[in-house]
Amino acid sequence: MSVNKRVDGADPGTTGPKSGLKKIVAASMIGTVVEWYEFFLYATAASLVFGAVFFPNAGSQLDGIIAAFLTYAVGFIARPLGGIVFGQIGDKLGRKHTLQLTIILVGVATFLMGCLPGFDSIGYWAPALLVVLRFVQGFAVGGEWGGAVLLVAEHSPSKSRGFWASWPQAAVPVGNLLATLVLLTTSWILPEDQFLSWGWRIAFWLSAIIVVIGYYIRTHVNEAPIFLEARAQVEAEKAISYGVKEVVKKYPRGILSAMGLRFAENILYYIIVSFSIVYLVTVHEYDTSQLLLALLIAHIVHFLVIPQVGRLSDKVGRKPVYLAGAILGATWAFFAFPLFDTLNPVLIVAAITIGLCFHALMYAGQPAIMAEMFPTRMRYSGVSLGYQVTSIIAGSLAPIIATALLKQFESWVPVAIYLLIACAITAVAVITLRETRGASLFEVDAVDARKHGLEPVNVPVER
């Protein structure tokens, strides 16, 4: 299969003009904002509301929160399944149609969560239905991330892929920012009893509006030419395989490396945005509105930092930036929780914000790194598996483990040690990784073709 050379410095088959690339980025981001608004809305509600509404007979306040976080974990368990199913669909049919389906699924599930009666109304049916909807939500999000980041990564020039592909990552704090803003507003306007009774539902209902907007924008997205060429090759050569089975068979090391990279990043994030709420509310009875305001400020900074870290990874390399994030992340809890204990609002904002900046050092470069690990014919499946499977043992369990450690030892120190161990595991994964800064995705496909005896790809020369 041959490809022609471009004159704009981008990989042939990528979007050359920046205006076109910006449209791709915007389309990818808006959907990701929607998906993660809804996903993290659940995380915040699990910390503040769900324990009382759906698990009032759990015993202590921490027991109710742990029960709510267990339903939260169901979404993470569903995410690898969604990654497998939508990864297969995305590698065969394309990124665009997959992303349209995922945004509808997660939108419907989230809206219905806002309609659920509480335990006092329908008993155990309430948490049971919550678990079902959470599973659907997680299943959809499992297919969202891979498609969103690859839509951008496969359109991006090799020399600036880290920067452009980091923008869908920046959409995550935007989604979280919107969720926090809506909850913060309703908690300010409504008395606490009304907020717990029905006010929290408003944030879930509002998701319908942004789902419609996100779906409309995604209908105007085109597939990357490199994907279209890879799909044509698969169709022309019936012996060529693609998708989940093929990537597990041919690139197991890539999947394991992606999982190692994801491990500490995922745990650090949920310790910061979920367990910090639990710690401040249960240990210090910190004001909910002030805490949500602190998260609001931190999410804004997080959004601003992520693209700059992506740009840095293009300049100095993926590995040094990621390794710095793992090392600094290991230190966070040891100074953050003492700052929390001061109950000084400025110091609390500083601790959360610094933690999210450490997180950005790992999170910003993930799309570029993972895209450069796998050939196009199985890239969606590869990045989705590496990213989503890790969520089961990392992000889903992080707030549960941290809350259980706090309950058992009545101290933040075991939580800090837990985070330290996670960061050490990721640091090892980074050290063993091959540097891929500036790699051509066409070259990745060519290496795959030579390695597995496929029709050779003529790798274009970038100017």
Side-chain angles (χ1 to χ4, degrees), residues 275-290:
F275 179 71
S276 292
I277 297 176
V278 173
Y279 183 81
L280 287 165
V281 170
T282 60
V283 174
H284 295 296
E285 298 183 351
Y286 196 73
D287 180 70
T288 299
S289 296
Q290 288 191 25

Side-chain angles (χ1 to χ4, degrees), residues 394-419:
S396 71
L397 296 180
I400 299 172
I401 291 174
T403 304
L405 289 172
L406 176 63
K407 179 183 178 182
Q408 177 68 31
F409 297 99
E410 298 182 348
S411 170
W412 56 263
V413 175
V415 178
I417 295 173
Y418 165 54
L419 182 57

